[in-house]
Amino acid sequence: MRLLILGTGGMANKHAASFKEIEGVSVVGGVDVVPERLAAFCSEHGIPNHFSSLQEALAWGEFDAVANVTPDAVHHATTLLAIAAGKHVFCEKPLATDAIKAMEMTEAIEKAGKVGMVNFTYRNSPALQKGRQMVLAGEIGEVRHVEASHLQSWLVGRHWGDWKSESKWLWRLSKKHGSNGALGDIGIHIVDFASYGSGLDVAHVFARLKTFNKAPGDKIGEYDLDANDSFTMNVDFTTGAIGTIQATRTAAGQMDQLRLRVYGETGSIEMIYDTGKSTLRACLGEDVHTATWRDIPFDDVETNYQRFVQAVRAGKTQEPSFRRAANIQKVLDKALASDASHKDEALA
């Protein structure tokens, strides 16, 4: 499989390294509007062909699939161009900045018969995959309550750099630069994590979003710091279960932690991804009478990168698919609407 990487910012390095590790995959081209960044990226990863635009790369055409690692607001237009040219697409999340655009992309790639998958990176957690299997197998009985959080702290600490002076962070805080804030950036991860891990679909959302003052006039250079920094949402699932889902970039002491607790009629399961480390615990059987939690072993799982390559070779999309990402985007859109209306919003 010949792969083109579109966008050569920070996350593109993970794409290049991960795809190059897969036997039979060649990263044959890179695309970026910033020549210096493109040259450095292609040099680091040994990529032979450089393009200043996707149109230029498509005119060349000597590749099978595109890894779309552009900023959120660019996903829609560039992915539609790639689909029209007959390419498979592996897109960074979110698929688009709203559900209408995401569904348009979904319908386009399904009509074209091409593979379309989205990089929900935390699907790579073996604890999540094993925990979901246990829930679906009925090991905790019918799910009644879900508790999920995604906690980061880069607005508090400098472990990932100084957000006040680096554009790679500042754009995430600015609506006009295409950001939907913490909701769009990490909210999409924790909603997927919670829904996938519990095996449930969201039916109603009641949400609150908060943007904190972070600089004089809420502005740094060209960046208006108006995108949300934290959110909470109460949800009803289609089964009748209820839950809470929250995320923030202001949780000092938490670099990147996703935690999901699924409570059922006969037991509970906790799935944790914490800055690269997965943990799975459960309270099952007789342990529920003593509130005893035990660690659950799990095996390594295939990554999204590996699943995408398998899907292209087989000609059949695997999860997480464009359609899945579009449905998760509907939840985020309803969260935005709920914050504005101060009302419960139904997904139907």
Side-chain angles (χ1 to χ4, degrees):
M1 190 187 86
R2 301 166 301 171
L3 182 74
L4 179 84
I5 295 184
L6 174 64
T8 62
M11 191 62 188
N13 292 290
K14 178 65 175 177
H15 283 250
S18 297
F19 279 116
K20 286 175 65 177
E21 289 179 351
I22 303 172
E23 185 176 356
V25 176
S26 301
V27 182
V28 297
V31 183
D32 204 300
V33 296
V34 181
E36 298 80 8
R37 184 168 62 200
L38 174 64
F41 175 80
C42 290
S43 175
E44 179 179 353
H45 297 286
I47 299 171
N49 299 288
H50 311 179
F51 303 97
S52 60
S53 70
L54 177 58
Q55 291 87 341
E56 183 184 349
L58 291 172
W60 173 64
E62 298 297 317
F63 55 95
D64 308 298
V66 176
N68 192 339
V69 203
T70 57
D72 300 355
V74 185
H75 291 173
H76 175 255
T78 52
T79 294
L80 289 178
L81 282 174
I83 295 169
K87 307 302 182 182
H88 305 286
V89 181
F90 184 70
C91 190
E92 263 303 319
K93 59 77 203 167
L95 183 57
T97 52
D98 63 62
I100 293 175
K101 291 187 177 72
M103 193 55 68
E104 180 185 358
M105 297 157 71
T106 299
E107 292 172 352
I109 205 155
E110 290 178 352
K111 183 178 180 179
K114 295 298 177 179
V115 170
M117 293 174 61
V118 178
N119 192 25
F120 287 118
T121 54
Y122 302 101
R123 291 283 190 98
N124 301 333
S125 166
L128 176 67
Q129 297 292 344
K130 176 66 174 179
R132 170 182 164 85
Q133 291 174 10
M134 294 173 68
V135 172
L136 295 181
E139 294 192 32
I140 62 171
E142 180 181 320
V143 175
R144 292 176 170 171
H145 191 95
V146 173
E147 174 191 349
S149 62
H150 191 164
L151 307 177
Q152 293 184 342
S153 58
W154 56 268
L155 285 179
V156 182
R158 291 190 291 273
H159 40 270
W160 289 347
D162 183 5
W163 67 266
K164 296 179 181 180
S165 62
E166 298 182 42
S167 61
K168 67 178 181 179
W169 301 114
L170 284 167
W171 81 266
R172 298 174 185 271
L173 307 175
S174 175
K175 291 180 181 179
K176 74 178 182 183
H177 286 82
S179 176
N180 279 333
L183 180 71
D185 185 20
I186 59 178
I188 195 164
H189 280 307
I190 193 58
V191 171
D192 178 67
F193 200 86
S195 175
Y196 182 77
S198 66
L200 304 178
D201 294 316
V202 175
H204 296 86
V205 177
F206 185 82
R208 284 291 175 270
L209 281 65
K210 183 69 175 181
T211 305
F212 300 107
N213 178 270
K214 298 178 289 297
D218 294 315
K219 187 178 181 69
I220 295 178
E222 64 179 285
Y223 299 94
D224 296 320
L225 309 184
D226 55 355
N228 62 85
D229 302 310
S230 296
F231 75 84
T232 62
M233 64 172 79
N234 294 329
V235 301
D236 296 322
F237 296 99
T238 55
T239 60
I242 62 172
T244 60
I245 302 174
Q246 61 176 328
T248 185
R249 295 160 165 168
T250 65
Q254 303 289 354
M255 281 194 187
D256 190 31
Q257 185 203 72
L258 290 83
R259 192 184 80 165
L260 170 64
R261 280 185 169 177
V262 184
Y263 300 100
E265 59 182 334
T266 61
S268 303
I269 294 176
E270 180 182 61
M271 309 161 219
I272 299 175
Y273 172 93
D274 194 346
T275 321
K277 180 181 178 181
S278 288
T279 305
L280 181 63
R281 303 167 64 236
C283 180
L284 305 171
E286 292 300 308
D287 284 341
V288 302
H289 303 298
T290 57
T292 301
W293 289 77
R294 302 183 189 275
D295 291 334
I296 304 297
F298 47 75
D299 298 321
D300 291 338
V301 297
E302 293 175 329
T303 67
N304 290 337
Y305 306 102
Q306 292 169 318
R307 284 192 289 271
F308 178 70
V309 173
Q310 292 171 2
V312 169
R313 288 172 176 167
K316 185 177 181 180
T317 294
Q318 295 190 32
E319 293 296 335
S321 65
F322 273 28
R323 186 163 291 276
R324 168 66 179 184
N327 287 333
I328 295 296
Q329 191 63 48
K330 291 179 182 178
V331 179
L332 304 192
D333 287 4
K334 292 299 184 181
L336 287 167
S338 175
D339 183 62
S341 70
H342 287 205
K343 296 178 180 179
D344 177 89
E345 295 283 344
L347 267 78

